[in-house]
Amino acid sequence: MIQLITGIPRSGTTLCCKLLNQREEVIALHEPINPAAIVKNADANMALAYICKQIAGFQHAIENGLPFEHGDKGGLEIDNPVGQQTSDGIRQVVARRGQVLLPKRVPGSYQLVVKQNALFTALLGQLSAEFAVTAIVRNPVDVLLSWLTVDLPVNRGRIPAGERFATRLAAELAAEPSRIRRQWRIYKWFMYQFHQYGLKVLRYEDILASNGSTLDKALGLPAISRQALTPQQRQFAPEVLQELGSIKAELLAADFYGHYSTEDIAARLRQCGL
């Protein structure tokens, strides 16, 4: 069985892959599909065909002991594509796309999980009709603070792999001069897509609190014992908090489709001094 994971960037989707890879019967791949490799003029249906072909290729490689492309050439153990090293206050990406080689697996002896964030979210209309898709979300305060401090396109308020197949989003982002409001539009786009296509949605906070058992259950897997998971505490510069604070009213007034209450948002803002 093949299952897909998508989610809001910086919401713990890579950690989910690491948790799943702690299981003998699961192989979870981190961003193995390079969106730039999809032909330039491809429409959504062509992109779906490409993704299906890639997934079949991953299975073939895994079952025949062949190398295949992966979002981190270091293997399946990555739990965070962004490291601790900073440049001008921006944390740098440590994941490097490349080939990986796994021990040969017998067909039917494993469940394949493939994780992509923006690309899968933009193509949910097509993908959700073909695959079981689970989405991971996180409190917007934490997501936006992360986006403001990591060296990814979303730091600039753009999401290229999503914009390519979500032309309305691309137009809205191009017309918005404020970085934080572009980021806010991106966050809301992800949440709307998950709601629109009726995805099973898991909260990062619940995955941590359950030591991954919430994730196991959602994917139909029996619970296993894991080490306790604890969120990392980070400090943010005053100018970062000020930028986030400029949309405080919008955050408190937003509809998160039942996943986060106004008090959830307010409590996290208070913890940040906002």
Side-chain angles (χ1 to χ4, degrees):
M1 180 179 180
I2 298 167
Q3 298 209 48
L4 306 185
I5 288 180
T6 189
I8 299 172
R10 312 298 301 150
S11 66
T13 54
T14 308
L15 173 62
C16 287
C17 288
K18 182 177 181 179
L19 294 174
L20 291 170
N21 282 321
Q22 293 172 352
R23 312 184 63 102
E24 179 62 29
E25 76 276 27
V26 177
I27 295 176
L29 306 181
H30 159 71
E31 305 277 348
I33 300 168
N34 184 357
I38 301 174
V39 294
K40 189 173 182 179
N41 62 344
D43 61 17
N45 289 326
M46 294 169 65
L48 173 65
Y50 179 82
I51 290 169
C52 290
K53 182 177 179 180
Q54 289 293 104
I55 291 173
F58 301 144
Q59 287 182 294
H60 176 78
I62 290 166
E63 293 166 9
N64 290 275
L66 301 172
F68 61 92
E69 188 172 2
H70 188 249
D72 182 50
K73 63 183 179 182
L76 305 184
E77 292 304 308
I78 184 171
D79 65 358
N80 195 333
V82 179
Q84 300 304 316
Q85 185 174 351
T86 64
S87 176
D88 296 326
I90 302 298
R91 293 169 59 202
Q92 302 299 297
V93 175
V94 295
R96 296 290 180 265
R97 179 171 293 280
Q99 298 277 306
V100 298
L101 179 65
L102 302 180
K104 186 186 297 187
R105 296 292 295 266
V106 174
S109 68
Y110 67 98
Q111 178 171 311
L112 181 63
V113 178
V114 181
K115 187 272 286 191
Q116 300 269 158
N117 290 344
L119 179 64
F120 283 179
T121 300
L123 295 169
L124 280 178
Q126 290 72 30
L127 288 171
S128 61
E130 300 289 334
F131 299 97
V133 188
T134 300
I136 312 300
V137 301
R138 189 179 184 182
N139 190 305
V141 175
D142 294 296
V143 170
L144 293 169
L145 285 172
S146 181
W147 288 0
L148 289 166
T149 54
V150 295
D151 188 22
L152 294 169
V154 75
N155 175 263
R156 300 177 288 280
R158 303 309 294 255
I159 191 87
E163 292 179 57
R164 180 172 175 186
F165 297 102
T167 55
R168 179 177 176 181
L169 173 66
E172 290 176 349
L173 298 180
E176 175 54 70
S178 164
R179 173 175 73 158
I180 189 64
R181 284 188 163 78
R182 287 196 300 273
Q183 292 175 333
W184 180 223
R185 285 178 183 268
I186 292 169
Y187 183 96
K188 290 189 294 181
W189 172 74
F190 274 99
M191 293 292 278
Y192 176 75
Q193 288 286 100
F194 304 155
H195 176 73
Q196 179 183 15
Y197 292 104
L199 294 198
K200 184 183 299 180
V201 175
L202 306 181
R203 303 192 329 161
Y204 167 82
E205 297 83 1
D206 296 333
I207 293 170
L208 256 63
S210 69
N211 295 325
S213 65
T214 296
L215 175 65
D216 295 330
K217 183 178 180 180
L219 271 62
L221 300 166
I224 62 171
S225 177
R226 296 188 178 93
Q227 291 184 338
L229 300 173
T230 55
Q232 291 188 341
Q233 302 299 320
R234 303 193 188 281
Q235 299 296 317
F236 297 96
E239 59 270 20
V240 171
L241 294 172
Q242 182 179 19
E243 189 168 2
L244 177 66
S246 69
I247 62 164
K248 179 178 177 178
E250 290 97 317
L251 287 167
L252 292 171
D255 179 3
F256 298 102
Y257 307 107
H259 302 302
Y260 295 98
S261 68
T262 300
E263 180 52 31
D264 290 330
I265 309 304
R268 192 66 190 95
L269 287 169
R270 287 195 298 270
Q271 291 169 357
C272 295
L274 295 172

